[in-house]
Amino acid sequence: MLEIRPNCECCDRDIAPSAEAYICTFECTWCPECVDRFPNRSCPNCGGDLQRRPVRPAAALVNNSASQVRVFSPDCLQKTGRSEPAAL
């Protein structure tokens, strides 16, 4: 089962379980604004293909909640050639 992580790993922006987000096969999680800046729209951690994260229906979140564990990679901005996080 997917973790449905709560934030973008690059800019640390909150991402609601129902919001648009992108993941790789390792479930690195990214907001659309950061993905647009990644070379070839590939995961900056593994180089893998990014796909839109599926939305877990609200009723399913009752018994299978989204993760509350935040993953943040401060070096992501350097990997993507940016100096500041995407505007919130």
Side-chain angles (χ1 to χ4, degrees):
M1 179 175 8
L2 292 175
E3 292 179 32
I4 313 291
R5 293 180 184 169
N7 66 302
C8 175
E9 195 168 318
C10 192
C11 70
D12 202 28
R13 175 186 300 192
D14 290 342
I15 303 175
S18 60
E20 181 178 359
Y22 291 83
I23 60 173
C24 70
T25 60
F26 293 101
E27 209 175 338
C28 300
T29 303
W30 315 102
C31 72
E33 292 78 12
C34 286
V35 169
D36 285 343
R37 293 176 175 90
F38 296 161
N40 301 317
R41 293 179 57 95
S42 297
C43 179
N45 293 335
C46 69
D49 183 45
L50 295 175
Q51 295 293 316
R52 189 162 178 179
R53 179 179 73 184
V55 173
R56 185 169 298 156
L61 286 168
V62 173
N63 292 320
N64 300 285
S65 62
S67 174
Q68 294 182 21
V69 177
R70 298 180 80 84
V71 177
F72 179 56
S73 300
D75 62 335
C76 172
L77 296 175
Q78 294 171 338
K79 289 180 184 178
T80 60
R82 293 169 42 213
S83 59
E84 297 181 10
L88 298 178

